[in-house]
Amino acid sequence: MTQQQTGGDVRLTGISKTYGSFTAVKPLDLTVPQGSFFALLGASGCGKTTTLRMIAGLEEATTGTIRLGDRDITDLPPYKRPVNTVFQSYALFPHLDIAENIAFGLRRRGIKSVKKQVADMLDLVQLGDFAKRKPHQLSGGQQQRVAVARALINHPQVLLLDEPLGALDLKLRRQMQLELKRIQTEVGITFIHVTHDQEEAMTMADTVAVMNGGRVEQLGAPADLYENPGTTFVANFLGTSNLIEGEVVSAGTTGGDVVVAACGGKLRLPSERCTTPAAKGGRLLVGVRPEKISIAPTDEADAIADGRNRVTGRIVDSSFIGVSTQYVVENATGTALQVYEQNVERRAGLTTGAEVVLHWNPAHTFGLDAAQSMLAGTTGDAGVETVEDAA
Ligand code: ATP
């Protein structure tokens, strides 16, 4: 299928949605570049579906405008918008075969010769051999692909996907993520995808908007968001972060290191990786991802290179999960740190109760404002539902 060069950026300006006295989406400015794969990611109830439904025209915006390229589509009814939505429930017609399900949009518009377009769509979603089957004769993943083909045959400028993989089991979901990404690359139109699954958003999207409490908390490319979370919510919701509170003992110069007293020692981090300027005597949350940390038995501590951040502690939990072993190490100050070590070789001496030294490169450390809750975005945060809870 040829790439489509129509449309333009989707531009939301001051878009909000209020139900009575409850604001589901706070005034939001967002630009989704034409041809991008964009994910709205957040926990249940954060307003992502409402945002998507406003773009589809299925929900009227309380304030703001929605533009598609040069066109203001805010007041257009859903069927007049050049967008199509794929829902979690595929909503295929059970009595029609796959080809007729896909042809539905064309037939409704009175188009008679649908054969070529349907064949192209079947090829696109790799279901060429299934044209004559009925939906119940397909797997969940195949049915979802039919739903995508049925939407794409209408040549929308934007495809909206509302938790489209939510009903699939984990393995199939992973396959379909790659499949959807391939289809998006092939057709080249804008995909806006709503999900509560951070791995799914990171796998597929060029840009992820992390939503929390009706607003976008941070927006960026997956790797940027992961490496440079701007808030504790993003640090915890996107993967796992160790956050250690400490007192700034040296604020560092531009391009130099900030030094923080924490975990009974001193931790360093580059000043440019602090989201707020560090001030001597102030509090700071020192952040480091579990996979950046190395773990060594105490008797190997002498071999650790100078200049690395170090925290001593005791292993209080270890879980072997195949690809890695995940440790929880408690420092004498009571701080518990998570460490993921890849299983290159099984190491002796790293059992529960063992005294260990954790060490990592200061460059892999980030600093967040200590005025925020350390638990934001974790499963301990009352506002957040886990992937398992929601599944
Ligand atoms: P989920 O993943 O569970 O669908 P979400 O992030 O997509 O969550 P929305 O469906 O956008 O969340 O809902 C945002 C908030 O608005 C929720 O608190 C929800 O209860 C509320 N809400 C949604 N629709 C309505 C409605 N018609 N009337 C009142 N409140 C609503």
Side-chain angles (χ1 to χ4, degrees), residues 6-13 15 30 32 34 54-56 64-84 154-158:
T6 52
D9 298 348
V10 176
R11 206 176 292 270
L12 311 184
T13 311
I15 277 290
L30 198 64
V32 180
Q34 177 182 339
M54 287 192 283
I55 300 171
T65 58
I66 304 171
R67 300 184 76 84
L68 184 55
D70 297 334
R71 265 179 98 191
D72 186 334
I73 61 167
T74 319
D75 298 320
L76 286 185
Y79 63 90
K80 286 201 174 155
R81 298 187 185 202
V83 304
N84 267 91
N154 299 317
H155 296 292
Q157 289 165 17
V158 181

Side-chain angles (χ1 to χ4, degrees), residues 287-362:
V288 59
R289 297 288 190 180
E291 72 279 10
K292 310 280 191 203
I293 302 179
S294 300
I295 183 167
T298 309
D299 58 9
E300 291 176 18
D302 290 348
I304 299 169
D306 288 344
R308 288 173 70 80
N309 283 331
R310 292 175 187 231
V311 170
T312 55
R314 198 168 51 84
I315 297 177
V316 293
D317 190 38
S318 89
S319 324
F320 175 76
I321 58 154
V323 67
S324 66
T325 301
Q326 306 193 346
Y327 299 97
V328 179
V329 174
E330 202 170 282
N331 173 258
T333 62
T335 302
L337 298 182
Q338 300 208 54
V339 181
Y340 301 163
E341 188 183 59
Q342 227 190 318
N343 276 324
V344 180
E345 55 199 51
R346 302 297 296 277
R347 290 208 288 157
L350 294 179
T351 49
T352 303
E355 297 291 332
V356 291
V357 185
L358 306 182
H359 57 102
W360 68 93
N361 184 343

Side-chain angles (χ1 to χ4, degrees), residues 19 22 24 42-51 59 163 194 196 385:
Y19 296 106
F22 176 71
S44 182
C46 72
K48 52 196 190 300
T49 299
T50 304
T51 305
E59 208 71 72
E163 298 268 8
V194 158
H196 62 265
E385 197 177 18

